[in-house]
Amino acid sequence: MMRFEGKAVLVTGAATGIGRATAIAFAREGASVMIGDIDDRADETVAMILGEGGRAAFRKTDVRKAPELDELVAQCLDRFGRMDAAFNNAGVLPPQRPIHEIPEDELDLAIDVDFKGVFFAMQAEIRHFLKVGGGAIVNTASVGALIADPNMSAYCAMKHAVSGLTKAAAVEYAQQGIRVNAIAPGFVVTPMTQHWADSNEFTQMFFAQNISGRAARPEEIAPTVLHLCSDGASFINGATFTIDGGQTAH
Ligand code: NAD
């Protein structure tokens, strides 16, 4: 299937993990992919896509800075002549601490990257989609948008905020042809969570609780993002899709 032939998508946070796997999956279905990331390893994602005969470009972008997201959208239009969908995925997991021990700079990091980064990206993308009569946006939330784990309060609060922002944007722009959805992955093995994957004690406790008995691979998250950005999802709007192997089912 080549659902994105002739289309261009923007992906933030595609140097590693879920964003990288999703950028590659988009390119394999024909999309030109514009990547924004603070990490130069996004060049390796681009090289991988180009090596497979796909189209991709990377612009160094800090999602905490709104003008850099405006520029990323401008670059996508400049390089590929269009932008049809966007995956706002860049995120950070601050150090795990109880609420009363969290210093303000760690709280600010979660607010700035995990919430304001998605907000600023959506602003830039929506301005373009309003001009061209529509588009699709997918934001990365987390099961932390649905449930709470101890010592992850700022992250959970910001992921709840992303889910709420997704609904708010869907409500505001549905009549302009813009669909906005979110994904809520469970435990996916990526650089963000490698320390858990490496901890026998943690993984055994987690796997005992999860009906799938394992964590996900980033490649298992990408297909839902592609579907939500495709015409096949034309009646899905304002939803947060859980992709957690059943973690929150019991
Ligand atoms: P990851 O660390 O591999 O990916 C995060 C990406 O965001 C990286 O490419 C990083 O460079 C980029 N990034 C971080 N700060 C940035 C900034 N200021 N500006 C631009 N880019 C920035 O981890 P991942 O697990 O692939 O995370 C991707 C998304 O998935 C995040 O939003 C994360 O919260 C979410 N998520 C992850 C899991 C999991 O278990 N791994 C579960 C639920 C949700």
Side-chain angles (χ1 to χ4, degrees):
M1 244 195 313
M2 294 293 269
R3 290 174 290 181
F4 298 96
E5 194 64 59
K7 297 192 170 175
V9 301
L10 182 153
V11 180
T12 68
T16 55
I18 294 168
R20 174 184 158 86
T22 306
I24 292 168
F26 268 123
R28 286 180 180 162
E29 288 210 31
S32 300
V33 185
M34 186 73 220
I35 294 172
D37 202 299
I38 202 170
D39 183 339
D40 286 329
R41 283 179 296 172
D43 271 331
E44 293 167 26
T45 308
V46 170
M48 168 89 186
I49 291 171
L50 298 180
E52 292 186 346
R55 288 172 300 277
F58 162 50
R59 182 176 174 87
K60 192 152 184 165
T61 305
D62 184 342
V63 298
R64 292 171 290 188
K65 297 176 179 160
E68 295 195 14
L69 286 151
D70 292 335
E71 186 54 34
L72 185 65
V73 170
Q75 284 286 317
C76 184
L77 300 176
D78 203 41
R79 292 292 293 257
F80 303 123
R82 58 191 298 144
M83 186 180 84
D84 301 279
F87 179 37
N88 301 320
N89 167 75
V92 290
L93 178 64
Q96 290 170 259
R97 306 181 201 279
I99 290 170
H100 68 280
E101 288 179 7
I102 295 177
E104 190 172 354
D105 62 330
E106 288 178 10
L107 176 62
D108 284 344
L109 182 69
I111 293 171
D112 290 347
V113 180
D114 293 332
F115 178 66
K116 286 172 78 176
V118 174
F119 196 96
F120 291 151
M122 284 184 35
Q123 287 185 309
E125 293 150 6
I126 287 168
R127 284 184 201 115
H128 168 69
F129 289 150
L130 287 173
K131 282 188 205 146
V132 297
I137 294 174
V138 175
N139 298 322
T140 302
S142 163
V143 290
L146 311 166
I147 56 169
D149 284 313
N151 302 326
M152 292 174 62
S153 56
Y155 180 82
C156 284
M158 290 311 106
K159 292 300 187 181
H160 274 72
V162 167
S163 183
L165 175 64
T166 297
K167 284 182 206 160
V171 168
E172 281 185 36
Y173 299 105
Q175 294 303 315
Q176 280 87 14
I178 304 173
R179 292 186 300 103
V180 190
N181 292 291
I183 55 163
F187 180 4
V188 188
V189 180
T190 69
M192 182 181 282
T193 55
Q194 194 63 52
H195 58 291
W196 287 333
D198 292 342
S199 152
N200 237 350
E201 199 186 326
F202 177 86
T203 48
Q204 277 179 18
M205 177 204 62
F206 176 83
F207 295 160
Q209 288 169 3
N210 189 309
I211 57 175
S212 294
R214 66 176 179 85
R217 291 175 293 110
E219 292 74 16
E220 294 179 290
I221 308 303
T224 302
V225 180
L226 267 64
H227 175 61
L228 290 172
C229 289
S230 74
D231 293 342
S234 53
F235 206 58
I236 302 177
N237 204 359
T240 295
F241 270 75
T242 306
I243 316 166
D244 69 348
Q247 180 186 344
T248 52
H250 71 124

